[in-house]
Amino acid sequence: MKCRHAKNTDLENVNDILATAFSEEPVHKLIFPGRDRNSLIDVLRNFFRIYVNLASKYGGILLTENDAGALVYFRPESMPMPKEELTQIDNQLRKVCGADYSKAVAFIDGLEQYHPHTFRHYYISLLAVKPSFRGKSLVDDLFSELNTILDKENLPCYAECTRFSTRTLIRRWGYIDAGSPISIDGFPKLYPIMRYPQVDEK
């Protein structure tokens, strides 16, 4: 197996993969401005840990066999989350983000506004590969594993891409545009994508 579901002992490594990769993204530089790269990585570890913990409970985390790539997803029944869970998330965000809390919430709320709510689907929350392993087969391994789950469940999957180039690349795994680019005030446009199940007819 080229991918596996992460165990609790893998979560710190998952946080490191995500924080290192997303420290290069303009979105997170805007949420946490004025930080050098090391400081940004530190805050992103704690920021993403909130969602990694949630995915451990309400979804899954795929990890490549060399522990260099990770995909964090949520199952359909996790959306929307219970009010008590949302309150806990908000408290954690206030603690982790500090003075940058309002910018983080503006971005999160903006994503929620555009998120589809009329049908059951999986949701890719985060996908990252360590920089030294990019351009190899890890993203293919992650999507192949997730797509197997999606087709078995006969359910679609939704995600947002932070770059147009990523949106274009992901088409090779069966994802298509899910609408116009998302505009959240103060942030670069994001590109919503959707994959519908591909079930063989016998």
Side-chain angles (χ1 to χ4, degrees), residues 2 24 29 43 62 77 94 116 157 180:
K2 294 184 178 180
E24 302 172 358
K29 291 179 180 179
V43 72
L62 294 174
E77 60 270 22
R94 288 179 184 276
C157 183
S180 301

Side-chain angles (χ1 to χ4, degrees), residues 8-27:
N8 287 338
T9 53
D10 296 314
L11 298 188
E12 288 303 324
N13 182 46
V14 170
N15 289 337
D16 286 341
I17 295 170
L18 297 171
T20 301
F22 281 94
S23 67
E24 302 172 358
E25 290 287 342
V27 165

Side-chain angles (χ1 to χ4, degrees), residues 127-182:
L127 169 66
V129 172
K130 289 181 178 179
S132 58
F133 286 87
R134 290 174 187 166
K136 301 179 182 178
S137 64
L138 301 192
V139 174
D140 185 62
D141 294 342
L142 291 166
F143 273 115
S144 295
E145 187 70 20
L146 179 63
N147 287 354
T148 298
I149 296 170
L150 299 174
D151 291 343
K152 183 178 180 181
E153 297 287 333
N154 195 26
L155 286 170
C157 183
Y158 173 80
E160 305 99 355
C161 298
T162 56
R163 298 174 186 266
F164 185 80
S165 58
T166 305
R167 163 262 181 201
T168 302
L169 175 67
I170 286 177
R171 285 174 171 267
R172 70 177 63 177
W173 292 285
Y175 289 78
I176 60 174
D177 291 338
S180 301
I182 295 170

Side-chain angles (χ1 to χ4, degrees), residues 57-58 81-92:
K57 182 177 180 181
Y58 293 110
M81 290 185 180
K83 183 177 180 180
E84 297 78 9
E85 193 80 69
L86 293 174
T87 299
Q88 291 179 16
I89 295 169
D90 186 69
N91 290 337
Q92 292 171 33

